[in-house]
Amino acid sequence: MFNFYIIGIPDRMEVSLSDEVKEVLQNHHYFSGGKRHRNLVASYLPENSKWIDVVIPLEGTFLVYEQIDEPIVVIASGDPLFFGIGNTIKCRFPDTKIKVYPYFNSLQLLAHEFQLAYGEMTICTLTGRNWVNLDQELIRGKKCIGVLTDKRKTPATIAARMLDAGFDNYKMIVGSKLGGEEQYCTEISFHEVVGKDFAHPNCLILIQEREIKRTLGIHEADFHILEGRPKMITKRSIRLNSISFLELNNAKHLWDVGYCTGSVSIEAKQFAPHLQVTAFERREESKELLKLNQRKFCVPGIDGIHGDFFNIDLSAIQSPDRIFIGGHGGKLNEMMNRLCAVLHDDGIIVFNAVSEATKLDFLRAAKELQMEITDQMIIQQDDHNPIVIFQAKKRNLPQRETKDSTK
């Protein structure tokens, strides 16, 4: 016997239910779902059945489930395992027995409407999720992207964000209230969709019309730079080696401290699109440079924080597991102390020493903080001064024993 039967249904109940699903509905007592789901299946439920409303947060609903010692039939929209309640129930009740009866999910219905061959569609959800879920697929240049929206990340806000990031190389297909009597589907340009409202729930499909070509290693001459300061940028060879020292494949959050033009942030995000990047800079003019360079190279998702780094409340920012120090304002020791305090255990700091003095300062600070120098490289590009690239790792050190504990 199953503890949960999870049935996915369309928004139009004229679609025939299978005999097996009808039997499940007729032979059970406890049912659960949204109010809309209850109205849709009301005629199929037995007399004296009990209905449990699914309400957010779900923990309250799950506590009600735990008080019931017989199977519960959960009604959901479309495919319950497609970012749906089926996954949540499996996680919350890992040892329970579940039987799922799926219907088409919303993106399948939208693809059917436009006869799209969606077998290679990349799916991302923005429903209560971070923008990185979409940004990484755009940077990777996926040709067909299905996007689940919410009331904040709407087709209009998605289109506006993509245009701002330079992604004008897709067309958009939008569907709202799919599978119901009020279904509406359209193919629409980004400029038309900006500012346009669509009824909820809705979703969309992005179809690439031309490819954005990317290179590993962007020439410094291609970046927008500080006026009159052509040397104020991390050179390409230094940048690429620094990024390799950051070990970004398994990283989650990079801080680029003293980003100037944003070259390291942009190159890192392009190499590792899954990465959350926070870039710090005291120069006010760099704020516009970062926007221009992100748009030029189509790399969204870099959060710029501006002002004196030593006056910024770091506790209000998600802590990093990777840090690149691009500038320190002559306060390298103080900066290292601030950064090491928030860096995750086993996190990495990469620093480019441009002089013997800064090299010694970095090594001294790393030693005081008990960080391990795990890699270093001397490199020179063209006629510029040699640079020493350092990689330092924060180790998870055991707590020191007290005097009492050694007795």
Side-chain angles (χ1 to χ4, degrees):
M1 183 177 72
F2 294 99
N3 302 103
F4 287 96
Y5 294 87
I6 309 178
I7 300 173
I9 62 171
D11 279 359
R12 262 197 312 238
M13 290 307 291
E14 308 90 85
V15 178
S16 297
L17 300 178
S18 69
D19 291 340
E20 185 178 354
V21 168
K22 290 178 181 177
E23 186 177 347
V24 169
L25 293 173
Q26 283 296 312
N27 293 332
H28 290 86
H29 183 66
Y30 286 98
F31 298 86
S32 185
K35 293 180 180 179
R36 179 170 58 91
H37 298 131
R38 182 178 186 175
N39 293 333
L40 288 168
V41 300
S43 62
Y44 294 92
L45 303 184
E47 293 184 12
N48 302 318
S49 62
K50 300 291 185 181
W51 186 270
I52 304 161
D53 283 327
V54 171
V55 294
I56 304 297
L58 290 174
E59 187 58 29
T61 303
F62 292 156
L63 290 175
V64 176
Y65 289 173
E66 289 178 336
Q67 305 305 312
I68 299 170
D69 59 0
E70 57 184 275
I72 301 172
V73 180
V74 178
I75 310 298
S77 296
D79 184 347
L81 297 178
F82 186 73
F83 302 100
I85 194 170
N87 299 317
T88 311
I89 290 175
K90 285 179 64 181
C91 291
R92 180 61 172 74
F93 304 99
D95 299 323
T96 197
K97 293 182 179 179
I98 298 173
K99 175 71 173 178
V100 177
Y101 299 91
Y103 185 68
F104 295 116
N105 66 60
S106 58
L107 288 172
Q108 285 177 314
L109 291 172
L110 183 56
H112 295 164
E113 191 69 22
F114 287 86
Q115 300 179 23
L116 295 179
Y118 61 89
E120 296 183 1
M121 180 191 296
T122 298
I123 308 298
C124 82
T125 177
L126 294 176
T127 308
R129 308 287 182 90
N130 193 287
W131 280 109
V132 71
N133 289 281
L134 176 59
D135 292 346
Q136 63 183 338
E137 308 306 346
L138 294 171
I139 294 171
R140 288 169 180 154
K142 297 297 183 179
K143 298 185 182 303
C144 182
I145 307 172
V147 184
L148 300 177
T149 64
D150 64 18
K151 291 186 178 181
R152 290 181 178 271
K153 297 180 177 67
T154 65
T157 58
I158 291 168
R161 180 182 172 84
M162 289 180 64
L163 287 172
D164 188 57
F167 288 107
D168 58 355
N169 59 323
Y170 285 85
K171 65 179 180 180
M172 180 182 288
I173 293 171
V174 182
S176 63
K177 295 194 171 183
L178 290 159
E181 293 180 357
E182 298 178 52
Q183 173 176 301
Y184 174 76
C185 299
T186 184
E187 179 180 322
I188 188 169
S189 73
F190 280 15
H191 293 285
E192 290 177 305
V193 77
V194 172
K196 183 177 176 63
D197 291 328
F198 292 88
H200 289 277
N202 58 60
C203 62
L204 59 92
I205 297 174
L206 299 169
I207 301 172
Q208 189 184 90
E209 295 186 300
R210 59 178 174 80
E211 184 179 1
I212 291 176
K213 293 184 178 180
R214 298 187 181 275
T215 60
L216 180 61
I218 302 171
H219 197 288
E220 46 267 26
D222 292 334
F223 284 95
H224 295 282
I225 60 175
L226 289 169
E227 187 175 354
R229 305 290 297 275
K231 294 184 179 181
M232 290 292 291
I233 185 172
T234 304
K235 304 302 184 287
R236 176 170 47 175
S237 60
I238 311 298
R239 189 187 324 129
L240 288 177
N241 282 286
S242 297
I243 288 171
S244 74
F245 273 36
L246 285 165
E247 299 180 11
L248 296 177
N249 283 337
N250 297 317
K252 294 182 179 178
H253 191 178
L254 167 68
W255 282 12
D256 179 3
V257 184
Y259 72 76
C260 192
T261 62
S263 64
V264 171
S265 288
I266 287 168
E267 195 93 69
K269 182 77 172 177
Q270 182 173 257
F271 173 78
H274 67 279
L275 199 64
Q276 182 178 345
V277 180
T278 303
F280 300 83
E281 178 55 59
R282 66 182 181 180
R283 294 180 179 85
E284 187 65 25
E285 59 267 38
S286 288
K287 185 186 297 186
E288 184 62 24
L289 283 180
L290 181 61
K291 291 180 181 179
L292 290 171
N293 284 322
Q294 283 191 93
R295 186 178 299 119
K296 181 173 183 178
F297 299 107
C298 298
V299 181
I302 299 171
D303 296 322
I305 297 179
H306 302 92
D308 188 334
F309 178 80
F310 298 97
N311 295 330
I312 295 171
D313 180 8
L314 301 184
S315 66
I317 306 167
Q318 185 177 338
S319 57
D321 54 5
R322 300 291 188 273
I323 297 171
F324 175 77
I325 300 177
H328 51 84
K331 299 179 180 179
L332 182 56
N333 186 69
E334 184 180 347
M335 178 175 284
M336 285 285 288
N337 276 273
R338 292 201 88 201
L339 293 174
C340 192
V342 297
L343 180 66
H344 289 193
D345 289 339
D346 293 321
I348 293 172
I349 293 179
V350 171
F351 175 69
N352 296 337
V354 299
S355 68
E356 186 67 17
T358 54
K359 170 186 171 181
L360 294 175
D361 286 345
F362 180 78
L363 290 173
R364 188 180 302 112
K367 183 178 181 180
E368 290 176 357
L369 294 166
Q370 300 184 59
M371 297 189 73
E372 180 183 356
I373 303 299
T374 45
D375 205 350
Q376 64 183 59
M377 174 189 295
I378 300 175
I379 188 169
Q380 180 175 359
Q381 179 172 313
D382 302 327
D383 58 350
H384 300 286
N385 292 332
I387 301 290
V388 184
I389 305 174
F390 286 107
Q391 179 194 74
K393 289 191 178 181
K394 178 181 178 180
R395 296 309 190 190
N396 185 7
L397 300 173
Q399 291 185 346
R400 294 179 180 177
E401 293 182 331
T402 65
K403 291 182 179 180
D404 290 340
S405 66
T406 61
K407 290 180 180 179

